[in-house]
Amino acid sequence: MTLTLVVVKTSKQAPPLLGRSWLRKLKLDWKSLISDPQYSISVDADVGTVLQQEFADVFEEGLGKAKGPPASLHLKEGARPKFCKARNVPFALRPAVEEELKRMQEYDIIYPVDYSEWATPLVCIPKADGRVRLCGDYKVTVNQQIHCDQYAIPTTEQVFSNLVGGKKFSKIDLKCAYQQMMLDEALQELVTINTHRGLFRYTRLPFGISSSPTIWQKFIEQVISGLDCTCAIMDDVLVTGNTDQEHMRNLK
């Protein structure tokens, strides 16, 4: 019997990888490996329950609002407004799109306007649960005419280096992270979206803006600065600790 072994050239130290063809032939006792505490991964549901009860306001329904100055965008010299027509939305998606527009208005993420010099066509991204994520196709309008903030997004290696020594790990997933940041009112016209229901203007930092990831990363790193065994990458805050007690203290 001959099996293919693929060798990948890399300058980094990496663990060996075996494909499915090897795993089918190597008759390992997977059940004993999974049950071995050295290799097993467990989820402590009690930690989440305790925190949800103690910090109930953090886990309330709705959308939070980040404290601090609003997000800002920086137009290039000589930038000119660009107005794009609304794109057709498939009839099968229209109910979900209209429901999402309604939700975004209720959460004060967007509000309707009658006129705008800037307008960006809408992008509808279906979700597995039948809903849609809406954002502007800003690459055809705003992104061409703004300076992208220069702030480094941490690499996976940098994130792991901040968690070295940890035994227990938790991830806090921030809901609609960008949209928790208010957008400078003077710049809200730039991010107007054009939909089959008319024009809507964002009050918060929208998805699709080229500088949104760096604006958010800089903000969230300032928020968690100085916290032990804690780091963030985009909308995920990762927390660890060497013991259950240390993990819970850092998590709080």
Side-chain angles (χ1 to χ4, degrees):
M1 177 181 61
T2 302
L3 297 176
T4 301
L5 180 63
V6 179
V7 180
V8 181
K9 183 178 181 181
T10 176
S11 59
K12 300 179 181 178
Q13 184 177 1
L17 300 177
L18 294 178
R20 291 181 181 179
S21 58
W22 285 75
L23 297 179
R24 291 191 186 101
K25 300 301 179 181
L26 294 176
K27 301 300 182 180
L28 300 177
D29 187 353
W30 295 108
K31 290 185 178 180
S32 64
L33 284 174
I34 294 173
S35 61
D36 189 332
Q38 181 180 355
Y39 301 103
S40 64
I41 299 176
S42 61
V43 177
D44 191 346
D46 292 338
V47 171
T49 302
V50 169
L51 292 175
Q52 287 182 37
Q53 293 173 350
E54 185 171 349
F55 302 98
D57 57 324
V58 176
F59 294 94
E60 287 180 350
E61 286 296 322
L63 187 63
K65 184 182 294 186
K67 298 178 181 178
S72 183
L73 305 176
H74 309 287
L75 281 173
K76 296 178 180 178
E77 185 177 351
R80 293 184 178 182
K82 187 172 183 179
F83 187 99
C84 293
K85 295 181 179 180
R87 292 173 180 165
N88 290 327
V89 176
F91 286 105
L93 284 179
R94 287 198 176 190
V97 170
E98 291 170 3
E99 183 64 28
E100 181 64 7
L101 289 172
K102 179 181 177 182
R103 184 195 70 84
M104 292 168 73
Q105 288 183 77
E106 291 174 350
Y107 284 172
D108 191 34
I109 299 172
I110 59 174
Y111 62 95
V113 294
D114 296 324
Y115 172 81
S116 178
E117 291 189 351
W118 293 80
T120 298
L122 193 64
V123 176
C124 311
I125 306 171
K127 295 183 177 180
D129 59 3
R131 297 183 300 167
V132 294
R133 168 176 285 182
L134 303 181
C135 64
D137 188 7
Y138 293 110
K139 68 177 180 290
V140 301
T141 55
V142 179
N143 287 348
Q144 300 174 3
Q145 306 196 61
I146 62 172
H147 294 288
C148 189
D149 289 40
Q150 300 299 313
Y151 193 83
I153 304 297
T155 64
T156 304
E157 289 78 8
Q158 289 171 329
V159 171
F160 288 159
S161 69
N162 292 328
L163 304 176
V164 168
K167 304 297 183 184
K168 298 293 183 72
F169 301 85
S170 290
K171 181 183 78 170
I172 302 172
D173 187 359
L174 302 175
K175 181 178 180 180
C176 302
Y178 299 173
Q179 294 178 353
Q180 294 193 35
M181 290 193 73
M182 302 304 295
L183 181 64
D184 189 331
E185 187 174 354
L187 299 169
Q188 291 176 7
E189 184 178 8
L190 273 64
V191 295
T192 303
I193 52 175
N194 203 348
T195 79
H196 70 287
R197 285 294 187 181
L199 299 170
F200 291 88
R201 193 165 291 172
Y202 277 90
T203 62
R204 301 173 182 237
L205 185 65
F207 297 103
I209 293 293
S210 58
S211 56
S212 288
T214 53
I215 291 173
W216 173 261
Q217 186 68 33
K218 182 178 181 180
F219 167 77
I220 195 62
E221 287 188 5
Q222 291 172 342
V223 170
I224 65 172
S225 176
L227 298 182
D228 294 332
C229 301
T230 304
C231 63
I233 180 166
M234 306 307 293
D235 58 352
D236 291 332
V237 179
L238 308 175
V239 186
T240 188
N242 288 319
T243 64
D244 287 350
Q245 294 77 14
E246 183 179 300
H247 173 230
M248 181 62 82
R249 182 176 67 249
N250 293 338
L251 196 51
K252 289 184 177 182

